[in-house]
Amino acid sequence: LSVGRGDLPPEWGVAYGIRQADGFRESVLPWYKEYFYKAFGKPSQDLAFDVGEELSLQLPLANYLGVKHFIVNAGAVRSLALMQSLSFPVIYEDARVKVFENSSAQPRARLLFEMQEGTVPTEAQNGSLLNSLYSNDASFLNAAKILFSVQAPGEKSGQATILEESNMRVLVKTRSNSASILSLADAWHPNWEVRVDGEKTNIGLINDAFRGVALSAGEHIVDFNYRIPGANFIQLFLVGGCALFVFISLLLWNTNRKRLGEISNDQK
């Protein structure tokens, strides 16, 4: 998270492909924006804090989002004081910025074993987002409840690992000893689809802004793909258009060849 709209040093962020929680400037998804405001406060400009503004930080929400570094402009005095009060260590500094590290940030992909019906509380206290999730997605909640109802009692544990990712696809491998919910702290959108071990599965809107998938115990490969509406039609149209072009070209070539043959015979 950048605070103070300062220049990003080349050795931080962009050079390593690190996602920025405030990296959106246009067409911000409304549910993500609402979550951002709950986690950090509402800046004067969309998702961009000026040097005179102070974060209204709800650390559990920032932790769930996976914010590991706070890049604070040297002129953002109040935000610098807040970082220091939280005892975040400074891991880089120069005349322009200080970079603080948040060791309690959670991985973007993780397995959760509890859920609550509803939206994330305005003030998520006592780390309530660390072990459970919130959702108002009825179909997703029903699927999760069915899986949770048949699991054996006992300690629940598991792991999620991102194997591959791009703007259009995220591939995750999971392993757990009980039913769980894969939480991916990337923005939800209705165009995202998910397949678990090759089978299309419901993708839920969890924690107000992110993606969730209910999983049975065991090992799974979870494949998130972004589908552009009408993409298949466009592809068929292009393929059909190319085929039609080739057909017409061959037809014209064959017609011209016959005409040239007739002209040649007349000359003879």
Side-chain angles (χ1 to χ4, degrees):
L1 178 72
S2 299
V3 183
R5 288 189 282 179
D7 293 331
L8 192 67
E11 55 268 58
W12 285 100
V14 177
Y16 295 104
I18 297 173
R19 296 165 181 255
Q20 285 187 261
D22 60 336
F24 300 91
R25 289 293 178 267
E26 297 177 357
S27 303
V28 178
L29 301 176
W31 42 88
Y32 179 84
K33 185 188 292 188
E34 291 176 9
Y35 183 94
F36 183 94
Y37 291 161
K38 284 183 180 181
F40 306 110
K42 189 172 183 178
S44 57
Q45 179 177 319
D46 277 353
L47 315 189
F49 290 93
D50 208 338
V51 290
E53 297 174 309
E54 181 180 358
L55 299 176
S56 178
L57 182 62
Q58 296 295 329
L59 192 55
L61 296 178
N63 288 342
Y64 177 80
L65 185 54
V67 176
K68 189 171 181 62
H69 298 102
F70 291 84
I71 304 170
V72 186
N73 188 289
V77 178
R78 290 190 291 178
S79 292
L80 287 170
L82 174 62
M83 295 293 106
Q84 291 165 352
S85 71
L86 294 170
S87 300
F88 286 168
V90 177
I91 58 172
Y92 175 88
E93 67 177 309
D94 59 24
R96 297 173 295 171
V97 298
K98 284 187 177 182
V99 180
F100 297 85
E101 185 172 65
N102 173 22
S103 60
S104 58
Q106 299 298 309
R108 282 191 16 250
R110 54 195 300 256
L111 296 178
L112 302 177
F113 301 94
E114 297 178 13
M115 60 183 180
Q116 305 288 334
E117 189 169 351
T119 59
V120 176
T122 302
E123 295 185 1
Q125 298 177 348
N126 302 321
S128 61
L129 279 181
L130 298 182
N131 300 306
S132 63
L133 61 84
Y134 298 82
S135 179
N136 278 328
D137 188 328
S139 59
F140 169 75
L141 285 170
N142 289 335
K145 287 176 182 177
I146 292 172
L147 288 175
F148 281 17
S149 67
V150 297
Q151 65 181 348
E155 184 179 354
K156 303 174 182 64
S157 63
Q159 184 177 11
T161 305
I162 296 177
L163 301 178
E164 179 184 332
E165 63 173 318
S166 67
N167 290 336
M168 305 289 283
R169 186 188 189 202
V170 182
L171 189 66
V172 184
K173 181 179 180 180
T174 67
R175 182 177 65 253
S176 67
N177 64 355
S178 67
S180 62
I181 296 169
L182 171 61
S183 161
L184 184 65
D186 285 354
W188 177 91
H189 190 276
N191 290 353
W192 280 100
E193 293 180 354
V194 66
R195 293 183 180 274
V196 177
D197 303 326
E199 296 293 328
K200 190 172 181 180
T201 308
N202 182 41
I203 180 171
L205 171 58
I206 65 171
N207 287 350
D208 296 350
F210 306 107
R211 300 175 224 159
V213 181
L215 300 172
S216 60
E219 293 189 359
H220 300 287
I221 296 295
V222 185
D223 192 357
F224 295 89
N225 284 276
Y226 188 83
R227 303 297 186 191
I228 300 173
N232 292 336
F233 172 78
I234 293 172
Q235 290 172 355
L236 288 173
F237 177 79
L238 291 174
V239 170
C242 290
L244 182 62
F245 174 78
V246 171
F247 173 76
I248 292 174
S249 299
L250 289 172
L251 186 63
L252 291 174
W253 176 81
N254 188 52
T255 301
N256 289 333
R257 186 175 63 85
K258 287 182 179 180
R259 286 180 179 176
L260 288 173
E262 291 172 357
I263 291 171
S264 177
N265 289 334
D266 290 344
Q267 289 175 345
K268 288 178 181 179

